Amino acid sequence: MKQKMLLLTTELPYPLQSGGKVKTWNMISHLAKDWDITMVCPLKESDTEHLETFTAQAPIKALHTSELQVPRTAINLLKSYALGIPLNVFRTRTIDLARQVDEIIDNFDWVLIDHYEAFQFVPKRMMTQKNRSTKLVYHAHNAYHLFWSRYAKTTPSVAEKLVCHLEHWRVRAHEKSVCANADLCFAAPNDILSLAAIGCDKSKFRETLHLGDDNNLELPELNVENTRPKLCYVGLLSWEPNVQGLLWFIAKVWPDLKKFVPELQLDIAGKNPDVRLTAAVANSPGIRLLGFVDDLEDLYKDSRIAICPLLFGSGIKVKVANAMARGLPIVTTPVGAEGLAVKHGQHLMICNHETSTIASILTLLEHDEIWTRLSRQSRLLMAERYTWRALFIQMNKEITALLGKDHCSDLVYLS
């Protein structure tokens, strides 16, 4: 008989339009083989449109939801200040879901808190229980305080810098509280270091990774001769790090690239493009906004290079992992490459500024042998170290050890 697991998350992990949703969906798919999962999540933005499809496909036993639409506005920021909680925690706040969790949480062997904002749904009474039977496991998608401190360095606005610094300290305190109250924490290696640096107990942490679609590893190798002089980008186009990175690339890199390679194109795939991005593309010949692309295979096969020009953010970037697994050479920044055991010039190109970005792209456009080396070496690395199968075998071992019970069927079906 399967044990019972309660999953608290911040949004419906479907459709798979972001790295966070990809990770949560894969966790559900794998953990459901060993545990009966009840999921709790608010329904944000267009989540209600996809609810029926999700429940038909997701291997969960029950789902508790509550509709929630709290936009990122100045008024809601002030409300979050009044309540003394970070903005994104406020935007995920729903008393209805907190009540539902309080009524059912004692029926579960363990609780997986997916994203730091979801910890607010855990009843406060559980924080004071000694030797509680229901274990709390925190799954960190990022070290979010780092996101805000990096954002502050990129914006020229004094007001935005102030808001970012305040959010940095508020999120930092919230993340420390979540880690202090959890029995076990999962985070990417670079995020573990960041969270330990602010005082979180490193002994509670176990490594996890945020991977892409490792089915890409089963597809045939790409051939440089079948590509065109075209770059591609894949990502959620309303997410501020993605928006600012692309705006920087379009303003600082693209004009010089077009001088060297007039026929060069850039295809940008992703939903909900920010108005600033739409305006920048409209004034930049050779760039297209494709909207959401469900199957990326044609885009990958037709492109010479993927780009990920992130200036700030945290955690492992799924868009980078996806391109590497497919064997499409990618040019990114140190922020885009963090969390992965990669080397510049061997697995991908890592560039600190526009000059090196331009040089790396031109190198991959002009030298087929370098392109082929990166394509093959990136796939080899992803196959050896970054697959969902290996990740969840280890995750199940850690959870089994926490529960202190002989529960290892996962090692049978995955081995």
Side-chain angles (χ1 to χ4, degrees), residues 232-292:
C232 72
Y233 175 92
V234 179
L236 181 63
L237 302 182
S238 58
W239 179 236
E240 191 64 23
N242 292 347
V243 174
Q244 288 207 21
L246 282 170
L247 290 175
W248 168 81
F249 185 89
I250 292 170
K252 301 294 185 179
V253 177
W254 187 248
D256 285 337
L257 280 177
K258 289 290 283 184
K259 290 178 184 177
F260 287 111
V261 188
E263 71 274 21
L264 189 64
Q265 292 181 292
L266 167 60
D267 281 350
I268 300 174
K271 65 177 293 189
N272 299 334
D274 185 278
V275 292
R276 293 167 293 171
L277 188 56
T278 303
V281 169
N283 294 315
S284 303
I287 303 180
R288 298 190 302 172
L289 288 174
L290 303 182
F292 176 70

Side-chain angles (χ1 to χ4, degrees), residues 18-137:
S18 68
K21 290 188 177 186
V22 168
K23 179 63 179 291
T24 301
W25 174 267
N26 276 282
M27 282 200 303
I28 292 171
S29 300
H30 285 264
L31 295 176
K33 297 172 184 177
D34 258 10
W35 284 278
D36 284 338
I37 301 176
T38 293
M39 192 175 94
V40 174
C41 76
L43 299 178
K44 301 177 180 179
E45 298 179 351
S46 60
D47 283 348
T48 54
E49 299 174 14
H50 306 289
L51 185 59
E52 184 177 349
T53 305
F54 171 78
T55 53
Q57 296 183 14
I60 59 176
K61 292 296 182 180
L63 176 63
H64 295 258
T65 65
S66 180
E67 290 192 38
L68 183 66
Q69 299 295 338
V70 184
R72 189 180 285 107
T73 64
I75 292 176
N76 285 328
L77 178 63
L78 293 175
K79 288 179 179 178
S80 74
Y81 289 156
L83 289 172
I85 57 178
L87 175 60
N88 285 340
V89 175
F90 175 76
R91 295 183 63 228
T92 309
R93 183 173 180 262
T94 159
I95 296 173
D96 177 46
L97 279 188
R99 176 188 56 77
Q100 292 183 53
V101 172
D102 194 21
E103 291 174 354
I104 65 175
I105 195 169
D106 295 317
N107 300 323
F108 295 88
D109 296 283
W110 66 288
V111 181
L112 179 60
I113 299 110
D114 186 45
H115 296 280
Y116 80 99
E117 298 98 329
F119 197 81
Q120 63 185 305
F121 300 132
V122 178
K124 287 185 172 57
R125 60 181 173 81
M126 295 196 73
M127 303 303 104
T128 59
Q129 291 179 10
K130 294 182 178 180
N131 301 316
R132 59 182 174 233
S133 58
T134 301
K135 299 299 183 181
L136 303 180
V137 178

Side-chain angles (χ1 to χ4, degrees), residues 318-331:
V318 170
K319 59 177 71 68
V320 175
N322 273 340
M324 290 179 61
R326 188 61 193 93
L328 180 62
I330 186 165
V331 177

Side-chain angles (χ1 to χ4, degrees), residues 8 33 63-64 66 69 71 105 130 143 159 164 166 174 182 202 212 221 230 287 299 309 314 345 352 359 376:
L8 309 179
K33 297 172 184 177
L63 176 63
H64 295 258
S66 180
Q69 299 295 338
I105 195 169
K130 294 182 178 180
C164 289
L166 286 172
H174 201 83
K202 193 175 181 180
E221 283 189 3
K230 182 164 72 69
I287 303 180
L299 180 64
S314 61
N352 282 307
R376 292 174 178 171

Side-chain angles (χ1 to χ4, degrees), residues 200-225:
C200 297
D201 183 355
K202 193 175 181 180
S203 68
K204 287 186 178 183
F205 282 90
R206 304 294 184 270
E207 289 188 0
T208 189
L209 300 167
H210 305 287
L211 307 178
D213 184 0
D214 56 12
N215 291 320
N216 283 327
L217 294 168
E218 306 301 320
L219 298 174
E221 283 189 3
L222 296 177
N223 189 329
V224 65
E225 294 179 357

